[in-house]
């Protein structure tokens, strides 16, 4: 999985996972890492009707609000 977090010239942030733009679904994100541990990317997003989410090994979906 390739995750890209970029900022354009206008200051807007772009979050892409495997080349797919997620900004229209993400309401908040944060990236954190403790020393010598794996980085953690937290995304708060809403799921649109018909949207499918496939989670890789090691990915945890902690909470779903409808």
């Amino acid at each position: 999985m390739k995750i890209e977090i970029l900022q354009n010239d206008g200051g807007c942030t772009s979050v892409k996972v495997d080349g797919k733009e997620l900004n229209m679904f993400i309401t908040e994100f944060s990236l954190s890492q403790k020393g010598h541990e794996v980085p953690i990317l937290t995304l708060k997003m809403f799921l649109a009707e018909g949207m499918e989410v496939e989670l890789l090994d090691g990915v945890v979906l902690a909470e779903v609000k409808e």
Side-chain angles (χ1 to χ4, degrees):
M1 174 181 358
K2 180 178 179 182
I3 298 171
E4 295 176 89
I5 301 173
L6 307 168
Q7 187 175 41
N8 66 19
D9 293 335
C12 293
T13 302
S14 167
V15 178
K16 294 181 181 180
V17 176
D18 291 334
K20 296 181 182 172
E21 183 71 54
L22 298 180
N23 283 1
M24 64 183 83
F25 305 108
I26 295 174
T27 59
E28 182 178 331
F29 77 93
S30 63
L31 179 63
S32 62
Q33 183 176 14
K34 294 181 181 177
H36 305 288
E37 290 186 10
V38 175
I40 296 172
L41 176 63
T42 301
L43 302 174
K44 289 188 180 183
M45 59 190 293
F46 65 89
L47 298 177
E49 187 173 326
M51 179 185 236
E52 295 181 17
V53 177
E54 183 177 322
L55 301 176
L56 300 174
D57 290 340
V59 175
V60 177
L61 185 61
E63 183 178 355
V64 176
K65 291 183 181 180
E66 294 190 31

